[in-house]
Structure formats: structure tokens, C-alpha cells
Amino acid sequence: MHNLVKWVICVIIIIAMILLVAGMYFFHVAQVRDPKANQPDVLRTKTNPLYQYEHKFLARDKQTWHETTKDGLKLDAWYVAADKKTNKTAILAHGWHNNKTTMAIYGELFHDLGYNVLIPDNRAHGDSQGNIIGYGWLDRRDYSQWLNQIIETNGKNSDIIMYGMSMGAATVLSVSGESDLPSQVKAIIADSSYTSLLEETKHEAGNMYNLPWFPLVNITSGISKVRAGYFYGEASPLKQVAKSSRPTFFIHGSADTFVPTKMVYSLYHALNAPKQLWIGAGSEHVQTFHDHPIEYRYKIQSFLNQYDK
């Protein structure tokens, strides 16, 4: 019996060590800076329906803005002024392992609609400092600082809308529920957000790795709390949306398997404020603009005409 107990204890210790090592591996894959995210995106070819959006925006004159986070990271952003002087500014949030270049197509869209455009590199992405990815949760406070910089630079009469795609969508939704959100923020547009990092990670455990999510996701979440300062359940756009009072336009592709389409319905129903929902027919993750460029622009313009006059 004594030997059996020792054997069981040894097995438990070995399993625990394997799970800990696996958790550290997945934490590194998901939350540690990827050097590839520091490089500009490969640009679209002329046959791509968004070629003109991308190349026009990248050719525009840009200012470089900086912000220093509360934990001492220097962040970098592009600022492109509208062709006609305006108090309207769109701040755009990119996705996981992306950077400012990724957002050029959206930058041109909002510039064309008459907005000044600010596109930050999130912490641990692009030209911004940091090694740990914030998944919208750490970034929400960084974007609060960017909002304040817009107001300080462009004036208290600033009129601001926030747009994000994927992790960036989770970011702007998380910002929308902050108690100190400036009154100058008039509307939110979120393309392909997850409900929470916990639910997204549980989904990806099976979708990408064919693994049961328990207990590996819990272990990785615990490592995140130690290394990044947050559990996966804390990074919850769903909880933040429930506290928001801003008009919000939710966009999601009907064929999205990376961030399951069903998540957008939970986000939509959680918001107790003016809201709109559009499901891009047949579109995979953040491909709705690519697949439906004319309709995408029209629907965003119509939303802004209603809620950001």
C-alpha cells in the first residue's frame, strides 16, 4: 500500500509538471511578443478589392504620436489629419500579431469619411514597446490615454469614434465600459470581437490544437495572472459591454471559425444602448470588409450618420 501511494504521488507530480510546462508553452505562444508583429504587413496586390484603400493611406502624410503607459512603456501611433479641418477623429485598434500597417485599409475608409485618424501600435506590437500582449484588457487603459491625448491636442470639442477588429474589437469594447470614458467618445464599431479571452482560449484549445480545454486553459490563465497581471476571465469585453452606454455597431463574418460567430450575439444582447448588428454573409475572420467592401463602407457610414452627426 505504501509503495502504491508513492507511485500515485509520483504520477501526480509528473502530470502536474507536464501541464505546467505545457501551460508555459501556450502562454508564450499566445501572450509573448512575436517579432513578426514588429514588421509591416505584406501589401495587397492590385487585384485585391482593398488595394486602393491600403496604398492611398500608406502614401498619406503622417505624424508620429507617442504615449507612455502607466507601467512605463513607450507606445507609437500614426496620426493622419483629415483633408478638411474637423473635430472628428477615429481611433483604430488592430488585432493580435498585427500593427499599424494592418489598419491602413480602415484608416483610408475613415479618412475618406472625413475623420482625422489615429492608429496606435498596441503594447508588444509594431513600434511600441513591451513583451506581453494585453488582449484588449491591458490595452483598454492605454487607449484611455490615447483618447485623452486626442482631446488635449485637438480640443475639448473633439468628437471621437472608436473602431477595432478582432483583438482590437475586444479592445474598443473593453474601453467602452470604463467609468472614465470621455464624453467625447460618441460611438463604437467592433468587427469580430470575442466575448472573453477565457472563452476564446477554450475554443482555440479544441479548434487549433484538438485538446480538451480543462485543465490546460486554467493553468495558462494562472500563468497569465503571474506574468501579465490578469486571468483570462478578467479580459472580458462581454462584461465591459454590459456597462457601456455608447451606440455600438457589431460586425462579424458568418463563416468565422477563429472567433465563433455566435459570440457576437452575446455581445450584442449584453449592450443596453443603441446598437446595430451586421453579419457578413460567408465571411471568415475579419474578412467582411474584403468580401463586401461597398456594403461595409455603406453600413459604417449609415451608422455614423445616425450616431455621430
Side-chain angles (χ1 to χ4, degrees), residues 195-236:
T195 50
S196 75
L197 183 55
L198 177 62
E199 292 305 314
E200 175 62 13
T201 309
K202 287 164 64 175
H203 167 73
E204 291 304 334
N207 186 52
M208 292 184 68
Y209 297 101
N210 295 312
L211 293 172
W213 67 265
F214 181 84
L216 186 56
V217 170
N218 306 75
I219 293 168
T220 310
S221 177
I223 295 169
S224 174
K225 184 64 175 179
V226 174
R227 295 280 308 278
Y230 61 91
F231 288 116
Y232 287 176
E234 293 179 76
S236 175

Side-chain angles (χ1 to χ4, degrees), residues 105-140:
I105 55 174
Y106 307 101
E108 184 62 23
L109 170 62
F110 287 101
H111 183 274
D112 200 35
L113 292 176
Y115 286 81
N116 307 309
V117 176
L118 181 69
I119 308 178
D121 276 332
N122 285 19
R123 56 173 60 214
H125 291 81
D127 295 316
S128 291
Q129 293 180 344
N131 290 317
I132 301 298
I133 296 171
Y135 276 99
W137 190 241
L138 300 180
D139 308 290
R140 81 193 195 285

Side-chain angles (χ1 to χ4, degrees), residues 174-190:
S174 295
V175 177
S176 75
E178 292 293 277
S179 60
D180 60 352
L181 183 69
S183 61
Q184 287 87 349
V185 176
K186 305 303 181 184
I188 310 291
I189 303 172

Side-chain angles (χ1 to χ4, degrees), residues 45 67 70 73 75 146 183 189 214 221 230-232 254 306:
T45 64
E67 189 68 66
K70 299 299 183 184
L73 301 177
L75 306 183
W146 286 120
S183 61
I189 303 172
F214 181 84
S221 177
Y230 61 91
F231 288 116
Y232 287 176
S254 69
Q306 185 172 359

